[in-house]
Amino acid sequence: MLALRLICPAGLTPGLVEVLRNQPGATHLVHLPGAALEPPGDVLLADLARSAVSEIVDALRAVSRGG
């Protein structure tokens, strides 16, 4: 397992959470609204199975780019 930590603008959070919830390789999802101070935003934490990391990161990038 690899630990993932994201700091994201609140507007992106729902899409990122949806990606993580729909990935069988992502577990132990934590959402801390408004927890990040610099840069300000939400904090998302998850554990990722090594075999799923590339697929999950690609899906998260697509959300952050508006795709």
Side-chain angles (χ1 to χ4, degrees), residues 4-57:
L4 173 74
R5 180 184 68 207
L6 298 173
I7 296 175
C8 58
L12 288 180
T13 301
L16 297 172
V17 168
E18 182 179 347
V19 165
L20 292 169
R21 282 190 166 166
N22 290 322
Q23 293 287 338
T27 60
H28 308 119
L29 179 59
V30 176
H31 173 209
L32 303 170
L37 300 178
E38 190 60 43
D42 294 347
V43 175
L44 298 176
L45 307 170
D47 292 329
L48 307 181
R50 288 182 188 274
S51 60
V53 169
S54 292
E55 181 180 346
I56 293 170
V57 170

